[in-house]
Amino acid sequence: MSASTAGSAVLPHPVRALLDYLAEVVGEQVDEALLVRALTHRSYAYEHGGLPNNERLEFLGDSVLGIVVTDMAYRTYPDMPEGSLAKLRAAIVNMTALADVSRSLGLGVYLLLGKGEEQSGGRDKASILADALEAVLGAVYLDLGLDAAREMIERLFRPRMEAYVRGEGDRDYKTILQELASQALRSLPEYRLRDVGPDHEKEFTATVYLGGEPYGRGSGRSKKEAEQQAAREAYSRIADRAARAGS
């Protein structure tokens, strides 16, 4: 339906499994050329003469994902107050969650990356995986419409939403780490932040220090998300140490 809009070459490796999965979920075949664009990182596009990349599809998919998840939360939990709905949406639609979903689909295998990104582990970089998933959702929406995109989003995100409401979702690792560190290390966490990128699409990196030593690092599209990921990594590290010491 949208082959003429994709403006990109056929992938140099098979995408049949991904195409088949999308067809199974949405009931129709997604245009392959448009899917190629959704998987084309700007680093690859730059190295190949300025091919179209996935950034516009990512922008579109981000908006589609937001409205579908918001609508799903509103209709599924009619008695949930506005503040809780906002927290639920934030727990479902963030870079870490999107990257996890992207990994579950194996999108990293299909990404078209430039040499630098390839060598620096770009196929498992959270920001790239999250952006690629949003771009794929944008491609599904553009080619097959909102109902198809909704079908895919609900398949991928409803279980996470229900798990979060059951208390199995993301936890406040900053608070958990502070409690654990004060008990186990007699130290309070210190977060150091840096950011890269223009104002409208900054990516933040946080490193959490305990007793002057780095214990965890995380990244995200907000300071809060980066700090939570750093705290989560530090918490896991301390918890693993405690488990080994007690075994």
Side-chain angles (χ1 to χ4, degrees):
M1 194 187 301
S2 308
S4 62
T5 68
S8 146
V10 175
L11 281 171
H13 51 78
V15 291
R16 178 52 51 192
L18 182 58
L19 285 166
D20 289 347
Y21 171 79
L22 295 176
E24 175 195 341
V25 172
V26 303
E28 296 182 67
Q29 190 79 45
V30 179
D31 179 75
E32 182 174 351
L34 199 57
L35 184 60
V36 169
R37 180 181 292 190
L39 298 168
T40 302
H41 188 259
R42 63 177 177 267
S43 61
Y44 182 93
Y46 177 79
E47 289 183 8
H48 290 78
L51 289 174
N53 62 46
N54 66 2
E55 290 179 348
R56 282 170 52 85
L57 285 173
E58 174 209 333
F59 170 79
L60 182 62
D62 175 68
S63 297
V64 173
L65 177 62
I67 188 61
V68 170
V69 168
T70 301
D71 180 75
M72 183 166 58
Y74 184 89
R75 295 177 187 276
T76 303
Y77 304 104
D79 298 322
M80 185 176 286
E82 182 270 342
S84 298
L85 285 170
K87 289 180 181 178
L88 173 58
R89 180 178 59 192
I92 303 304
V93 183
N94 61 69
M95 186 176 70
T96 301
L98 297 183
D100 286 345
V101 172
S102 190
R103 291 185 184 99
S104 75
L105 296 176
L107 287 189
V109 173
Y110 303 108
L111 291 173
L112 291 174
L113 300 175
K115 293 178 181 178
E117 285 292 352
E118 184 78 66
Q119 292 169 359
S120 65
R123 292 191 184 278
D124 196 48
K125 188 179 292 184
S127 59
I128 292 177
L129 289 172
D131 291 347
L133 178 62
E134 289 178 334
V136 168
L137 293 174
V140 171
Y141 168 78
L142 196 61
D143 190 36
L144 303 177
L146 182 58
D147 286 344
R150 182 189 303 276
E151 186 73 25
M152 182 175 176
I153 291 167
E154 292 211 1
R155 169 82 74 93
L156 294 174
F157 289 90
R158 182 175 289 278
R160 289 174 172 269
M161 180 177 289
E162 293 173 348
Y164 181 87
V165 172
R166 290 195 303 267
E168 302 168 10
D170 288 345
R171 303 163 68 189
D172 182 1
Y173 279 96
K174 286 186 69 176
T175 300
I176 295 170
L177 176 63
Q178 182 165 321
E179 294 173 353
L180 180 63
S182 64
Q183 295 170 4
L185 302 175
R186 307 295 183 194
S187 177
L188 291 178
E190 175 196 353
Y191 295 89
R192 300 180 190 175
L193 283 158
R194 63 179 179 84
D195 59 78
V196 294
D199 289 341
H200 65 282
E201 55 176 19
K202 279 189 183 297
E203 181 173 338
F204 295 89
T205 299
T207 304
V208 59
Y209 289 79
L210 294 167
E213 295 184 20
Y215 267 71
R217 187 179 181 189
S219 60
R221 291 174 180 165
S222 69
K223 295 178 182 178
K224 181 178 179 180
E225 186 178 348
E227 289 177 349
Q228 282 286 348
Q229 292 309 308
R232 182 174 185 170
E233 183 175 294
Y235 166 77
S236 297
R237 183 176 172 186
I238 295 172
D240 288 345
R241 281 186 180 179
R244 288 196 299 270
S247 61

